[in-house]
Amino acid sequence: MIDLNKKLQGGILISDGAIGTMLQKFGMPAGVPSEAWNLTHPEKLREIHKLYYDAGARFIATNTFCGNLLKLRSAGLESEFKKVNSIAVELVRSSVGSDAIIAGSIGPLGVFLHPFGELTFVEALNQFKNQAKVLAEAGADVITLETFTDLREIKAAIFGVAEATKIPIVAQMSFDEGTRTVTGTSAEVFSVTVSALGVAAVGANCVNDPDNMVQIISKIRRYTDKPVICQPNGGIPELENGRTIFPATPDEMAEYSLRYWKAGANIIGSCCGSTPEHTQGIAKAVRGKQPESYQKEKGTFITSRTRLVAIGTAHPFVPVGERINPTGRIKLSEELQNFKFSIVRYEASIQERAGALALDVNTGIGGEREADVMGAAIRVLQNVTNLPLFIDSPNIFTLEKGIELYVGRPIINSVSGTEKDLKNILPLAKRQGAAFIGLTMDESGIPKKADKRLKIAEKIINSAVEIGLKQEDVIIDPVIMPLSTPGYDPKIAFETLRLLKKELDIATIVGLSNISYGMPKREQVNITYLSMAISAGLDAAILNPLDRGIFDVINAGKVLTNPEKYTQTFIEEYSKAQIEDEDIERETTLENEIRLGNRNGVIGKITEALKNGIKPTDIIDTMLIPSMKAVGDLFEKKELFLLQLVSSAEALKAGLDFLKPELIKGKERASKGKFVIATVEGDIHDIGKNLVRTMFEAYGYDVFDLGKNVTAEVILEACKMYKPDILGLSALMTTTMVEMKNVIDLIRENGLNMEIIVGGACVTKAFSNEIGADAYASSAIEGVKIAEELLSKK
């Protein structure tokens, strides 16, 4: 088996460049799946691999990026699945020297996973597993996952590959403008999440802006001790003589490769638009250079799809919201028993607004259905909040279900020092890449002396390290008991905290509300205890973030320990109105129901408005659409992200569908317009198109979705039939975006009068102007806004 770290001892490893670009140079027609040429033109693939090898590349990818069964089925190559993948490995092997690493290339499936698509996590995992198995059996040295944009999908790919083979996994995502993917995952979140899953290397590919790539690699490097791979595109694509070109020269890419090396990259190559000449330039610039030294961030890191939270001595105190817990809460318990989650949605929202940095999720209703309730709650919460989650249950099946459906890197709450917990829960944490809370208690109970609690903490940490986890994966809870407990001394926890910091330098946490249980003036007891615990070394606490006095302690502590950094923030924070507990009731507006993606809540508010005599058209124009626009504003400010936007759009659409009978009855409202949308010929990706379709439907347009891989002639005939006001064209790949021009030219030649909007991952405003489109939209919500602007001018 290849040892990447050993290979890298000789210096920076050079990877190859674009295959599709080279195949086009060798005559492959637009729209033909490149994997088909493994069978029909193997000599061309051999020549390309050899050119890259001779240019200096020693990390050579197979021509199997779209080689999964779903994409091959769309291309009519389903029956050739095994042959397409296995021969691709042989084509590399027969073209390069024995010192080259053969990387079996696997790309995304091109569809969203459930709940935003029909494909389940397990189904996606099996797709990746099947392809990895063929590639590994054919002789691939590593599997390289490329151009992923959805964190959940790349997790499915990692698990699938790991089930199929033991060869190393290289995990790469593609980042949009800035350092986030189109689904909102930052470079730091990606780095933490996948590094914990045991991959051999992490990195980024298919990034257009070379300056942007420097930032991405720097951020990935800060949060991983794995080798980092960097494969940028050959610049921002342009259209020239009907073909997509990438303007970066070999000298320019060589110059940037030095910056990537300085930023911490260990494996450097290129992606779309690059050639062996680019590889040769990169090789001359960085081959043989030793990786730059770097300082990895210290702490315990947890993530959601979009946010990273650090816990430990070097980081600010972390308040964790405790309110998603049915203990002593009859209404919440009843809702969970009936698989309803309105209170869960509101609790998540209000705790995040109040200042919680993570949320503890406990669905402890007992019984056989508890695991399913936890799974459903995790699904709901990930559409409502950006905060990382603590999955809280003593039941191993409930923990497994919650973690299976979680997108980022969660914390397991909790693992005691008992042999049962260490045997059952630690392997789960290792397998799923989770951090966990270790309780200083074991079969003998909770020790009454701090040094004995320290011994249990050491036992938990050592047990974790023995199975391949790290100390930084552990947060220790010294265990605080209610003051009303006979014989309990609250000072023991303080002593334990000091020992944990002095002897182990470990991250620490407590369940704060335990201390005041059964006591009067609970809030004051909690506040005082928290202040004392922080001074003893506490890093985080599970608490009620609606107790504003708690945040007074936390915020004042920040100012007193680091006035230069936190004084201005403190002043701004306390100049704003404070959130009170009763704001939960104030939050139940239609706008908030849409923001939380609560379809039943939206319908409830509409029903209430109808009873109050509000006309259906007024509900749409003055309530629903303004609410969705407010959500869109949050999306543009990056306070909400793509999948939350989709969830909100679907809630809005549910409201519109509910109103349809009333509208038809009164014949009160016409469609906003007709909208035809398609992914152009040769492109079998439809994630972006589907998002746009959902958004336009939600805004009241009649939408005609022609699907993916649609020829210009079919689009023309559809436009003649439906007579749309707007035509939307989508393309993800640089090799297919040029087809948009063919469609536009055909539409114009036939004299059809409609507005044409284009979009897609590689499409730019400049490209849109070049091909004669009326507008370019960078996102689904922007597409709706542009459509309304274009139609208003008419």
Side-chain angles (χ1 to χ4, degrees):
M1 184 185 294
I2 290 288
D3 184 339
L4 274 181
N5 285 304
K6 189 173 182 180
K7 280 276 187 181
L8 290 167
Q9 289 175 4
I12 298 298
L13 185 63
I14 310 301
S15 69
D16 60 0
I19 293 178
T21 299
M22 291 298 294
L23 286 173
Q24 284 188 328
K25 284 179 178 289
F26 283 17
M28 185 181 75
V32 173
S34 67
E35 286 75 14
W37 272 41
N38 292 348
L39 307 177
T40 60
H41 296 76
E43 73 285 353
K44 299 296 184 185
L45 271 304
R46 287 194 182 94
E47 185 175 351
I48 291 168
H49 296 317
K50 187 175 189 307
L51 284 170
Y52 278 119
Y53 179 81
D54 291 344
R58 292 298 181 267
F59 186 93
I60 312 286
T62 58
N63 182 37
T64 53
F65 176 76
C66 292
N68 65 74
L69 196 54
L70 283 182
K71 285 188 174 180
L72 291 180
R73 184 178 297 143
S74 297
L77 291 171
E78 179 180 3
S79 62
E80 304 290 351
F81 166 69
K82 188 168 184 178
K83 191 174 181 181
V84 162
N85 283 279
S86 59
I87 198 173
V89 177
E90 188 277 325
L91 290 173
V92 178
R93 180 72 69 195
S94 62
S95 309
V96 303
S98 60
D99 58 338
I101 295 172
I102 300 177
S105 172
I106 294 180
L109 300 174
V111 294
F112 265 134
L113 274 60
H114 185 80
F116 299 101
E118 296 181 0
L119 200 67
T120 68
F121 183 85
V122 173
E123 287 170 340
L125 183 154
N126 286 330
Q127 288 286 331
F128 296 120
K129 179 180 177 179
N130 292 338
Q131 188 180 4
K133 186 174 187 292
V134 175
L135 290 169
E137 288 177 349
D141 299 310
V142 304
I143 297 294
T144 180
L145 306 175
E146 302 181 298
T147 324
F148 282 75
T149 58
D150 179 5
L151 189 60
R152 180 160 172 75
E153 186 179 14
I154 200 168
K155 285 183 71 174
I158 291 168
F159 287 134
V161 175
E163 284 189 18
T165 175
K166 299 303 180 186
I167 65 176
I169 302 169
V170 175
Q172 300 177 80
M173 293 193 84
S174 179
F175 295 84
D176 208 7
E177 294 180 12
T179 56
R180 289 186 182 272
T181 70
V182 68
T183 55
T185 297
S186 69
E188 301 98 312
V189 165
F190 162 65
S191 185
V192 166
T193 305
V194 302
S195 294
L197 294 173
V199 299
V202 298
N205 77 302
C206 208
V207 173
N208 287 331
D209 187 336
D211 288 307
N212 198 30
M213 182 63 102
V214 176
Q215 297 181 54
I216 292 165
I217 294 304
S218 296
K219 290 176 181 293
I220 290 174
R221 168 50 70 208
R222 283 177 60 197
Y223 290 93
T224 187
D225 53 10
K226 308 286 186 182
V228 174
I229 183 170
C230 171
Q231 296 180 302
N233 289 342
I236 299 172
E238 301 171 356
L239 191 68
E240 185 177 278
N241 298 323
R243 295 183 71 86
T244 306
I245 65 160
F246 291 77
T249 67
D251 286 344
E252 288 171 337
M253 291 197 76
E255 183 180 336
Y256 270 104
S257 69
L258 288 169
R259 294 180 62 186
Y260 303 144
W261 163 58
K262 287 283 187 183
N266 308 89
I267 306 170
I268 302 176
S270 52
C271 199
C272 298
S274 62
T275 65
E277 286 75 25
H278 293 91
T279 301
Q280 188 173 34
I282 293 168
K284 284 181 179 179
V286 299
R287 184 169 47 198
K289 291 187 179 296
Q290 290 301 314
E292 287 284 278
S293 60
Y294 64 93
Q295 184 64 50
K296 181 175 176 287
E297 289 284 334
K298 292 183 178 180
T300 299
F301 303 105
I302 55 173
T303 65
S304 65
R305 183 191 294 275
T306 59
R307 188 171 301 180
L308 178 146
V309 170
I311 302 174
T313 305
H315 303 284
F317 187 85
V318 175
V320 180
E322 70 179 7
R323 294 172 61 92
I324 303 175
N325 189 323
T327 304
R329 302 182 63 186
I330 295 173
K331 286 186 178 180
L332 176 55
S333 181
E334 288 176 349
E335 276 208 355
L336 293 174
Q337 291 279 5
N338 291 292
F339 283 82
K340 295 182 178 179
F341 300 96
S342 292
I343 295 175
V344 168
R345 291 175 190 270
Y346 295 129
E347 290 291 5
S349 175
I350 198 68
Q351 288 183 103
E352 181 171 6
R353 288 186 60 225
L357 297 181
L359 300 176
D360 187 77
V361 185
N362 185 311
T363 57
I365 60 172
E368 295 179 358
R369 299 192 307 161
E370 184 181 332
D372 291 333
V373 174
M374 174 64 83
I378 294 297
R379 284 196 189 98
V380 166
L381 285 165
Q382 291 182 120
N383 297 336
V384 172
T385 178
N386 294 315
L387 300 183
L389 303 179
F390 287 41
I391 299 176
D392 184 355
S393 177
N395 186 310
I396 185 69
F397 300 108
T398 300
L399 290 174
E400 285 179 334
K401 189 69 171 181
I403 294 172
E404 174 190 322
L405 293 167
Y406 189 69
V407 174
R409 187 190 193 212
I411 279 188
I412 293 173
N413 186 10
S414 52
V415 180
S416 72
T418 63
E419 292 301 325
K420 179 182 176 183
D421 274 8
L422 298 177
K423 179 182 177 181
N424 292 334
I425 302 179
L426 289 189
L428 173 64
K430 176 68 171 68
R431 187 168 64 251
Q432 296 287 347
F436 68 90
I437 295 173
L439 301 176
T440 53
M441 56 187 291
D442 58 17
E443 290 87 352
S444 300
I446 305 170
K448 293 184 178 180
K449 292 188 176 181
D451 59 344
K452 291 187 177 180
R453 295 191 187 187
L454 177 67
K455 291 291 185 186
I456 295 175
E458 289 175 332
K459 176 184 177 183
I460 293 171
I461 294 167
N462 291 337
S463 297
V465 171
E466 282 176 9
I467 68 165
L469 291 163
K470 301 176 182 177
Q471 178 168 315
E472 64 192 48
D473 299 326
V474 188
I475 305 175
I476 295 295
D477 184 343
V479 185
I480 58 177
M481 301 287 290
L483 281 170
S484 55
T485 303
Y488 175 66
D489 182 355
K491 296 192 295 297
I492 295 174
F494 301 146
E495 293 170 9
T496 306
L497 285 168
R498 293 188 185 97
L499 278 176
L500 288 168
K501 287 298 181 185
K502 180 182 177 182
E503 301 296 330
L504 302 178
D505 191 24
I506 192 82
T508 57
I509 192 169
V510 298
L512 182 64
S513 298
N514 288 347
I515 192 68
S516 63
Y517 184 77
M519 298 288 292
K521 300 283 285 184
R522 289 195 69 182
E523 183 177 343
Q524 192 59 49
V525 172
N526 290 343
I527 291 169
T528 305
Y529 193 90
L530 177 63
S531 178
M532 297 171 72
I534 290 174
S535 68
L538 185 66
D539 298 309
I542 301 171
L543 46 75
N544 182 2
L546 302 188
D547 288 347
R548 299 312 305 169
I550 284 174
F551 279 89
D552 294 341
V553 169
I554 295 170
N555 294 333
K558 289 178 181 178
V559 173
L560 292 172
T561 55
N562 195 338
E564 184 176 338
K565 184 175 182 180
Y566 292 109
T567 296
Q568 187 58 40
T569 305
F570 185 85
I571 292 170
E572 291 172 1
E573 173 73 18
Y574 286 92
S575 298
K576 295 186 294 187
Q578 301 300 304
I579 296 174
E580 303 294 342
D581 197 3
E582 58 265 25
D583 279 341
I584 292 177
E585 296 302 320
R586 297 177 198 162
E587 280 280 284
T588 57
T589 62
L590 178 60
E591 180 181 320
N592 195 57
E593 300 287 13
I594 289 175
R595 183 173 65 82
L596 298 178
N598 189 3
R599 302 182 196 190
N600 291 334
V602 169
I603 291 170
K605 289 295 177 185
I606 291 172
T607 302
E608 185 181 314
L610 289 171
K611 286 180 180 177
N612 290 333
I614 301 176
K615 293 169 62 176
T617 51
D618 290 340
I619 292 173
I620 293 172
D621 293 334
T622 66
M623 297 172 66
L624 285 172
I625 298 301
S627 295
M628 191 64 204
K629 285 181 177 176
V631 171
D633 290 341
L634 293 174
F635 172 75
E636 291 184 343
K637 293 175 185 175
K638 296 196 184 308
E639 293 179 31
L640 296 179
F641 296 96
L642 188 61
L643 298 187
Q644 292 165 307
L645 182 69
V646 174
S647 182
S648 294
E650 289 178 343
L652 173 64
K653 187 174 180 297
L656 291 170
D657 289 343
F658 179 75
L659 277 172
K660 274 183 182 177
E662 297 294 327
L663 293 168
I664 293 170
K665 192 188 307 179
K667 298 182 179 179
E668 294 180 12
R669 185 183 178 86
S671 162
K672 279 195 170 185
K674 294 180 180 178
F675 178 60
V676 167
I677 187 168
T679 300
V680 297
E681 184 178 12
D683 203 314
I684 56 176
H685 301 87
D686 62 359
I687 290 177
K689 172 186 66 65
N690 292 345
L691 294 175
V692 174
R693 179 193 65 207
T694 299
M695 198 62 62
F696 271 80
E697 286 174 341
Y699 269 79
Y701 288 82
D702 291 331
V703 178
F704 304 93
D705 183 353
L706 306 183
K708 56 193 177 183
N709 192 22
V710 185
T711 66
E713 290 74 21
V714 169
I715 295 172
L716 174 65
E717 291 306 311
C719 289
K720 287 179 178 178
M721 180 188 301
Y722 298 123
K723 297 180 173 55
D725 302 284
I726 298 171
L727 170 64
L729 299 176
S730 170
L732 177 72
M733 296 157 53
T734 58
T735 54
T736 57
M737 59 194 253
V738 292
E739 180 62 20
M740 289 178 168
K741 185 176 188 306
N742 296 333
V743 175
I744 293 171
D745 289 347
L746 190 61
I747 293 291
R748 302 303 189 210
E749 286 167 10
N750 280 266
L752 299 186
N753 183 27
M754 67 194 70
E755 307 293 338
I756 301 177
I757 304 175
V758 298
C762 292
V763 180
T764 64
K765 187 172 180 57
F767 179 82
S768 167
N769 293 337
E770 271 189 80
I771 63 176
D774 295 294
Y776 158 73
S778 63
S779 68
I781 193 69
E782 186 182 23
V784 171
K785 289 182 178 179
I786 289 171
E788 297 196 336
E789 289 172 6
L790 291 172
L791 294 184
S792 68
K793 291 176 183 177
K794 282 191 171 183

